[in-house]
Amino acid sequence: MTLAIFDLDGTLLSGDSDYAWGQFLVEKGLVDTQVYQEANDRFFLEYQAGTLDIHEYLAFSLAPLTQFTRAQLNELHNTFMEEKVRPMMQTKAADLLKYHKEQGHFLLMITATNQFVTQPISDALGMDHIIAPVPEIVDGYYTGKIVGVPSFQDGKVTRLNDWLAETGHSMEGSYFYSDSRNDLPLLELVTHPVAVDADDTLSKLAEERDWPHISLRN
């Protein structure tokens, strides 16, 4: 099956689910408001600039998960989906996913946002599979650590290649949709790279390389 690969934040969603989860925790009073807000803002700016230390960020973003049971976290995530994520879902993105599905393509999400945040979003969007940073769970509780390679920048290519080896899927005829300069390693790997509401760096490169640049904004 032809792979149709999608970034999540800023691509299929009109905003950033990782940043929104941090905002959600702040608004619900579940973290130290000022400290967490300032750090969340700083990491988000570093991501946009292409300078984010993914390991430092994941240590920060996964730490709150250690304070709750899985049942509590599932309840929080359900509320998060309704209050933060669903307003970021886009009709044009849903139409694009439907188009690829109708072509018989395999819908694969690859995101740098951890799997606790993104698995339910992937399910809601009807993806066939998701590759995301995997939070470690021991005895039913999140430890705040990550398992394996985070799917960020070159790590997206590493994780994808591992998945290809495991599943036997092929990159022949593949698509990848992304908004971010951070995804250049994977955009350069696929058959059909597509910029989506891209940042300035990716917009310029897409123009130089004659890549399609589309908008999914409603």
Side-chain angles (χ1 to χ4, degrees), residues 3-176:
L3 292 179
I5 308 171
F6 299 85
D7 173 56
L8 175 62
D9 300 309
T11 303
L12 291 177
L13 298 181
S14 62
D16 188 289
S17 62
D18 219 355
Y19 180 76
W21 171 251
Q23 292 292 99
F24 175 79
L25 295 176
V26 168
E27 291 168 9
K28 298 300 181 184
L30 300 173
V31 290
D32 184 313
T33 301
Q34 182 175 351
V35 172
Y36 202 91
Q37 180 72 66
E38 290 177 357
N40 201 37
D41 290 345
R42 174 174 65 85
F43 283 122
F44 187 55
L45 291 174
E46 290 174 357
Y47 171 80
Q48 291 178 320
T51 61
L52 179 67
D53 181 327
I54 189 62
H55 293 281
E56 181 187 9
Y57 176 68
L58 285 170
F60 161 79
S61 64
L62 294 177
L65 302 186
T66 67
Q67 305 302 309
F68 304 95
T69 66
R70 298 283 293 282
Q72 289 171 325
L73 287 169
N74 288 338
E75 185 175 346
L76 284 171
H77 200 291
N78 288 337
T79 304
F80 168 68
M81 284 289 292
E82 294 305 315
E83 294 184 2
K84 296 292 188 181
V85 176
R86 293 199 182 278
M88 292 191 287
M89 290 183 174
Q90 307 177 103
T91 302
K92 291 181 180 179
D95 291 343
L96 180 61
L97 292 172
K98 181 181 178 182
Y99 165 79
H100 279 285
K101 197 71 171 178
E102 289 173 346
Q103 303 308 304
H105 298 167
F106 188 96
L107 304 185
L108 176 63
M109 180 187 293
I110 301 186
T111 175
T113 300
N114 74 77
Q115 195 164 355
F116 164 76
V117 171
T118 55
Q119 182 69 65
I121 302 173
S122 174
D123 293 342
L125 292 172
M127 308 302 293
D128 292 309
H129 187 66
I130 181 175
I131 294 174
V134 180
E136 182 183 60
I137 299 173
V138 175
D139 296 330
Y141 286 85
Y142 288 99
T143 67
K145 298 178 181 179
I146 204 75
V147 177
V149 176
S151 42
F152 177 65
Q153 295 182 342
D154 289 328
K156 284 195 175 182
V157 175
T158 300
R159 291 284 304 279
L160 175 60
N161 284 335
D162 290 345
W163 180 78
L164 292 171
E166 292 170 4
T167 63
H169 279 279
S170 167
M171 290 295 287
E172 183 178 355
S174 55
Y175 295 79
F176 180 42

